[in-house]
């Protein structure tokens, strides 16, 4: 493989350069117009595109093709078909038709459907997304697609995303036209998803049933050292990790993923990869591909990549920062410029975003709700479950001046002079950053920081796109009917900031004081995923999605069912895993260790009757008591899990797992974790936190 990055970048992608080279000029123009303007593809060119795509893929070693889609499992799905077609005399040719490119068929009853599909209603369709490039991986041509039922309901994450992008484009164009922009044909949503993850040695991973089954450690006492010295963050890469990261970069570059930044994160064995932004649907596809490659390449190095939000208790969990912005004709609509107070277009779009986030706090929280993420949000390391927006000192001052009707004097960024002659003097930013904010403006984009590391980023972007489209729609409705546009747009900006200023917060989002202040402001605090799921089907949320054509009420109701079901299933797996580990690993190991201690004490007494056995007696008593507590908790957990699993309603079942099962799981863990601190290392049946986090 060539070493020059520019030579390998996108080598396995049927991208614009390849299409320009391999497609007839008119076909290329038609296809690129479809992609650029969001138009329906001309069916007459499908066969030409399919044949060119097949020839290119075969040259790359492909023998099969697959429609690659995103069912509501949180991961991707694929069914591989060979290009071969019989031609008689036991011979075959490689064929791929336009029909096969545009449409595929998949079983729609074996994926989560929330009741939309029964076992006997199996037909589903996959439909090509031409705006996301096809690529070759593992000798297969991957074609990104949407996935729907026979009756047309969306059964995936991508379809609502594409609809939300179209809705936001439509409403944003209405606003741009009011500012006299007649050239822009499409407003693009750009996304860059920073991906955090943990790495563990595979030999240790294989010995931990909880990691294998649940993706996180359900037991584990803290190691003597964690992240308190803050020496891992941005620290030197270990040789083994650097080799893994290097191979990961190369693999992603061949797939056209702009993997840009890599570094150690705050917790031991935690790392991050950040790409350059891409159009939202491409960014979603590429992030899913990134997570897949992380796991695959880690195995090549004898490692395992952990994408769970909280693999280890007591150290930072892993999130995914979703950097979101809007672009029109190559210009960033969220760039305030040097004089934001004069940039009315920017202020109007900023006001729309502030309104959208405030109006749909519950949906923003729901979009990141996941059983794994509940262990992370608000845990002193990640944004709280309360939604707020950080805009920085400069914009906050500007908004206050608009609302209060006072003069604004723009803050000029001061110079940074370290007092060292050889170090250059440079201009500072006009505001600091706030890492505790769930939704922070970072100069020319918003960083939605609540996403969990294992999550498909499609839903958060779907919610954000749709909510902003709704705000822009209301703005356009008001402004299109005014005689004095300048006066009305100024009044609209002031009215919006006045009505929604409560969502702006620049303080410490981790503090208890903020929770009290947020309650005073009337902001929602949906602490658990189950709480968030309950808020999904409110009248305003149904009206939002249905009126903009993003999701019907039927599609929403099916997702609500899936959310509750998935939550219950995850806790069910974790509870059963804990019972197995406690009863088959930990309790027997401690019983055996106690027996060894008793035998040691007996041997000591046999030699010297008056000898002190206080240590042995104390350990026997403490461990025996803890083991009994663990045994009792495991039995209570077994009963609670069984009874919760039997509940018919998905919502009530999830509530039972959240409110009844999880507390017992914590009790069981507490007993076992304390036993770990008292048991000899050689007698403990699994690798400890110190083993897993520091021996990579």
């Amino acid at each position: 493989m060539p070493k020059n990055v520019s030579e390998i970048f996108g080598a396995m992608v049927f991208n614009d350069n390849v299409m320009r080279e391999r497609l007839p000029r008119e076909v290329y123009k038609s296809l690129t117009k479809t992609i650029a303007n969001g138009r329906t593809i001309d069916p007459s060119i499908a066969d030409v595109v399919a044949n060119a795509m097949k020839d290119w893929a075969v040259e790359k070693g492909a023998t099969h093709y697959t429609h690659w889609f995103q069912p509501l499992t949180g991961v991707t799905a694929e069914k591989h078909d060979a290009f071969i077609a019989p031609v008689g005399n036991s011979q075959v040719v490689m064929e791929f038709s336009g029909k096969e490119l545009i449409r595929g068929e998949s079983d729609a009853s074996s994926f989560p459907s929330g009741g939309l599909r029964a076992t006997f209603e199996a037909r589903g369709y996959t439909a090509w997304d031409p705006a996301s490039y096809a690529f070759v991986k593992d000798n297969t041509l991957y074609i990104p697609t949407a996935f729907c039922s026979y009756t047309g309901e969306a059964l995936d994450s991508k379809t609502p995303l594409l609809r939300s992008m179209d809705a936001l484009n439509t409403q944003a164009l209405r606003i741009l036209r009011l500012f006299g922009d007649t050239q822009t044909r499409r407003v693009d949503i750009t996304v860059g998803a920073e991906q955090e993850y943990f790495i563990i040695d595979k030999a240790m991973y294989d010995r931990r049933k909880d990691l294998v089954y649940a993706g996180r450690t359900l037991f584990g006492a803290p190691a003597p050292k964690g992240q308190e010295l803050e020496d891992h963050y941005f620290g030197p890469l270990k040789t083994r990790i650097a080799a893994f990261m290097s191979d990961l970069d190369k693999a992603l570059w061949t797939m056209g993923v702009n993997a840009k930044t890599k570094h150690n994160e705050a917790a031991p064995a935690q790392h991050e990869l950040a790409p350059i932004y891409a159009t939202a649907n491409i960014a979603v596809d590429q992030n899913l591909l990134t997570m897949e490659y992380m796991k695959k390449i880690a195995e090549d190095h004898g490692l395992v990549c952990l994408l769970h939000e909280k693999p280890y208790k007591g150290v930072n969990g892993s999130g995914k920062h979703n950097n979101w912005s809007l672009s029109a004709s190559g210009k960033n609509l969220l760039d305030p410029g040097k004089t934001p107070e004069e940039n009315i277009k920017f202020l109007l779009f900023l006001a729309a975003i502030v309104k959208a986030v405030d109006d749909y706090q519950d949906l923003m929280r729901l979009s990141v709700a996941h059983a794994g993420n509940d262990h992370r949000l608000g845990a002193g390391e990640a944004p709280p479950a309360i939604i707020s927006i950080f805009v920085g000192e400069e914009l906050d001052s500007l908004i206050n001046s608009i609302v209060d009707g006072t003069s604004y004097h723009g803050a000029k960024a001061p110079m940074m002079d370290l007092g060292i002659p050889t170090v250059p003097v440079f201009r500072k930013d006009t505001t600091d950053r706030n890492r505790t904010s769930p939704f922070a403006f970072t100069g020319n984009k918003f960083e939605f920081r609540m996403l969990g590391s294992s999550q498909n980023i499609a839903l958060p972007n779907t919610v954000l796109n749709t909510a902003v489209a709704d705000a822009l729609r209301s703005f356009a409705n008001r402004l299109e009917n005014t005689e004095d546009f300048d006066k009305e747009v100024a009044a609209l900006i002031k009215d919006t900031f006045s009505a929604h200023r409560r969502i702006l917060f620049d303080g410490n989002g981790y503090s208890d004081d903020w929770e009290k202040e947020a309650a005073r402001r009337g902001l929602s605090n949906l602490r658990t995923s189950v709480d968030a799921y309950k808020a999904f089907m409110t009248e305003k949320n149904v009206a939002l999605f249905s009126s903009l054509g993003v999701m019907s009420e039927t599609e929403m109701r099916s997702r609500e069912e899936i959310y509750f079901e998935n939550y219950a299933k995850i806790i069910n797996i974790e509870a059963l895993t804990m019972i197995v580990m406690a009863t088959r690993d930990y309790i027997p190991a401690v019983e055996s260790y106690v027996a060894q201690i008793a035998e040691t004490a007996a041997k000591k007494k046999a030699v010297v009757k008056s000898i002190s056995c206080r240590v042995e007696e104390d350990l026997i008593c403490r461990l025996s008591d803890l083991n009994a507590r663990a045994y009792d908790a495991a039995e209570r957990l077994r009963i609670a899990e069984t009874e919760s699993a039997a509940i018919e309603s998905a919502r009530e079942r999830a509530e039972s797992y959240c409110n009844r099962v999880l507390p017992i799981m914590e009790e069981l863990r507490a007993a076992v974790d304390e036993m770990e601190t008292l048991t000899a290392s050689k007698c403990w049946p699994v690798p400890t936190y110190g083993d897993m986090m520091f021996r990579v």
Side-chain angles (χ1 to χ4, degrees):
M1 179 182 292
K3 294 183 179 181
N4 191 319
V5 176
S6 62
E7 291 182 54
I8 67 171
F9 190 83
M12 305 303 283
V13 183
F14 194 75
N15 54 29
D16 186 73
N17 289 335
V18 178
M19 289 190 289
R20 184 186 293 109
E21 176 186 334
R22 290 180 173 264
L23 295 175
R25 182 178 180 184
E26 291 306 313
V27 172
Y28 169 76
K29 288 174 61 177
S30 177
L31 181 57
T32 52
K33 188 175 293 185
T34 293
I35 297 171
N37 299 331
R39 297 181 180 179
T40 302
I41 190 169
D42 181 353
S44 67
I45 71 170
D47 280 331
V48 178
V49 175
N51 190 60
M53 193 180 288
K54 180 262 299 178
D55 287 346
W56 169 83
V58 169
E59 290 174 18
K60 297 292 183 182
T63 56
H64 290 68
Y65 70 91
T66 182
H67 275 199
W68 189 56
F69 59 102
Q70 303 169 25
L72 297 172
T73 55
V75 293
T76 57
E78 54 198 60
K79 175 178 66 109
H80 298 238
D81 288 296
F83 286 123
I84 61 171
V87 292
N89 298 322
S90 300
Q91 294 182 326
V92 296
V93 294
M94 305 289 269
E95 288 185 349
F96 185 49
S97 68
K99 180 181 178 182
E100 290 170 317
L101 169 62
I102 289 175
R103 191 196 83 170
E105 185 174 334
S106 177
D107 182 354
S109 65
S110 297
F111 293 105
S113 69
L116 285 178
R117 298 269 84 191
T119 303
F120 65 90
E121 298 172 319
R123 192 183 300 277
Y125 296 111
T126 51
W128 177 35
D129 172 18
S132 190
Y133 297 131
F135 56 90
V136 170
K137 180 173 74 74
D138 299 331
N139 299 321
T140 296
L141 172 66
Y142 280 71
I143 303 162
T145 60
F147 178 45
C148 67
S149 71
Y150 179 72
T151 48
E153 293 93 357
L155 295 176
D156 65 342
S157 300
K158 171 164 275 196
T159 301
L161 173 70
L162 294 173
R163 293 171 179 168
S164 74
M165 292 170 66
D166 188 59
L168 181 49
N169 168 64
T170 298
Q171 302 307 323
L173 283 177
R174 290 177 67 190
I175 296 296
L176 293 182
R177 297 293 182 261
L178 291 169
F179 281 92
D181 181 349
T182 59
Q183 301 302 313
T184 298
R185 291 290 173 262
R186 185 167 185 83
V187 173
D188 291 317
I189 299 98
T190 59
V191 171
E194 303 170 29
Q195 179 70 55
E196 295 176 345
Y197 60 98
F198 279 84
I199 290 292
I200 181 175
D201 185 273
K202 190 174 189 306
M204 293 188 188
Y205 170 87
D206 289 339
R207 292 178 57 200
R208 295 282 313 209
K209 294 185 181 73
D210 45 7
L211 287 178
V212 172
Y213 295 139
R216 74 179 180 103
T217 54
L218 301 169
F219 300 98
K225 179 180 185 293
Q227 62 188 66
E228 59 275 4
L229 294 180
E230 300 174 337
D231 54 341
H232 189 261
Y233 190 51
F234 280 22
L237 299 176
K238 293 182 179 180
T239 302
R240 198 175 179 191
I241 296 299
F244 155 74
M245 287 182 169
S246 178
D247 286 351
L248 176 61
D249 279 339
K250 291 173 185 175
L252 292 176
W253 289 335
T254 64
M255 293 296 167
V257 179
N258 284 291
K260 175 74 171 178
T261 304
K262 57 186 178 184
H263 61 83
N264 287 344
E265 256 297 334
Q270 187 186 31
H271 313 280
E272 180 178 301
L273 181 148
I276 298 173
Y277 66 87
T279 306
N281 60 317
I282 295 177
V284 169
D285 287 354
Q286 290 187 344
N287 183 251
L288 290 166
L289 196 60
T290 297
M291 291 192 288
E292 180 183 336
Y293 267 100
M294 282 178 168
K295 293 178 179 179
K296 177 181 178 180
I297 293 172
E299 288 190 5
D300 294 340
H301 289 261
L303 303 167
V304 173
C305 175
L306 302 177
L307 291 171
H308 194 282
E309 287 71 21
K310 197 73 172 177
Y312 303 110
K313 186 177 181 179
V315 298
N316 276 18
S318 294
K320 183 144 44 188
H321 300 172
N322 189 89
N323 295 283
W324 181 94
S325 192
L326 298 173
S327 174
S329 300
K331 296 181 179 179
N332 189 338
L333 294 174
L334 299 188
D335 184 354
K338 294 181 179 179
T339 53
E341 68 276 15
E342 299 174 3
N343 192 341
I344 304 303
K345 187 190 301 181
F346 162 75
L347 289 174
L348 188 63
F349 275 94
L350 177 65
I353 294 167
V354 170
K355 171 179 168 59
V357 174
D358 190 23
D359 284 346
Y360 298 102
Q361 301 168 47
D362 52 352
L363 284 178
M364 294 288 285
R365 171 66 179 94
L366 175 136
S367 75
V368 299
H370 182 268
N373 216 15
D374 280 359
H375 298 287
R376 171 181 162 265
L377 292 180
E381 55 167 279
I386 304 166
I387 303 293
S388 65
I389 301 176
F390 171 80
V391 294
E393 296 172 13
E394 181 183 22
L395 290 181
D396 192 54
S397 297
L398 175 54
I399 290 171
N400 288 335
S401 72
I402 292 171
V403 172
D404 299 335
T406 58
S407 299
Y408 171 74
H409 302 287
K412 185 176 181 181
M415 302 302 292
M416 175 64 76
D417 186 350
L418 297 180
I420 306 170
T422 56
V423 174
V425 175
F426 58 90
R427 191 171 297 282
K428 293 171 58 176
D429 292 306
T430 56
T431 186
D432 204 346
R433 295 181 64 190
N434 188 335
R435 292 183 59 82
T436 72
S437 175
F439 196 74
F441 186 71
T442 57
N444 59 6
K445 62 185 182 300
F446 277 94
E447 184 179 32
F448 191 12
R449 302 183 66 249
M450 296 178 73
L451 285 69
S453 56
S454 68
Q455 184 174 6
N456 184 332
I457 65 174
L459 179 59
N461 285 291
T462 298
V463 167
L464 185 53
N465 294 345
T466 310
V468 174
D470 179 64
L472 291 175
R473 176 174 59 179
S474 69
F475 287 4
N477 289 343
R478 177 171 167 177
L479 294 173
E480 285 173 347
N481 298 315
T482 185
E483 294 182 0
D484 189 336
F485 175 77
D486 292 340
K487 181 179 180 180
E488 190 63 23
V489 75
L492 174 57
I493 291 170
K494 180 176 181 177
D495 291 347
T496 303
F497 284 139
S498 299
H500 300 283
R501 188 159 51 165
R502 66 172 186 169
I503 200 73
L504 302 179
F505 178 65
D506 62 358
N508 182 5
Y510 295 170
S511 70
D512 294 335
D513 289 341
W514 166 233
E515 189 170 328
K516 297 173 185 175
E517 170 64 16
R520 188 190 66 77
R521 295 187 186 191
L523 302 180
S524 66
N525 186 4
L526 303 173
R527 299 178 186 276
T528 70
S529 291
V530 173
D531 292 335
Y533 299 152
K534 292 177 184 177
F536 189 42
M537 294 300 296
T538 61
E539 184 177 347
K540 73 174 181 67
N541 292 342
V542 173
L544 170 72
F545 286 117
S546 59
S547 66
L548 286 164
V550 175
M551 280 189 282
S552 67
E553 183 173 355
T554 300
E555 289 170 329
M556 290 180 66
R557 198 164 297 283
S558 73
R559 280 159 174 74
E560 180 193 45
E561 183 84 1
I562 292 168
Y563 296 152
F564 285 123
E565 283 185 348
N566 283 348
Y567 181 91
K569 288 174 181 177
I570 289 169
I571 308 303
N572 164 260
I573 292 169
E574 292 184 348
L576 292 177
T577 302
M578 290 190 82
I579 293 168
V580 168
M581 293 182 74
T583 57
R584 297 175 61 182
D585 296 326
Y586 297 124
I587 292 174
V590 172
E591 281 292 299
S592 177
Y593 181 54
V594 168
Q596 291 179 37
I597 298 172
E599 183 179 356
T600 299
K603 288 180 179 179
K604 288 171 66 174
K605 287 288 187 181
V607 176
V608 181
K609 290 185 178 181
S610 61
I611 197 169
S612 172
C613 291
R614 186 172 61 83
V615 172
E616 290 84 355
E617 291 169 359
D618 185 58
L619 282 173
I620 288 171
C621 289
R622 292 174 67 184
L623 285 171
S624 295
D625 178 62
L626 287 167
N627 224 15
R629 282 168 49 190
Y631 179 82
D632 291 341
E635 286 302 305
R636 286 189 288 113
L637 181 58
R638 191 192 310 276
I639 294 169
E641 193 286 320
T642 301
E643 292 177 353
S644 297
I647 297 174
E648 185 173 348
S649 163
R651 174 172 175 157
E652 293 175 5
R653 188 163 64 253
E655 289 176 329
S656 182
Y657 274 107
C658 181
N659 299 323
R660 183 183 177 191
V661 174
L662 276 176
I664 303 175
M665 289 169 61
E666 285 301 311
E667 288 182 47
L668 176 55
R669 174 170 191 154
V672 171
D673 288 358
E674 189 172 349
M675 289 195 296
E676 180 185 333
T677 66
L678 299 172
T679 303
S681 297
K682 65 179 182 180
C683 297
W684 200 245
V686 299
T688 65
Y689 271 24
D691 296 330
M692 293 183 288
M693 290 192 293
F694 291 98
R695 297 183 180 178
V696 180

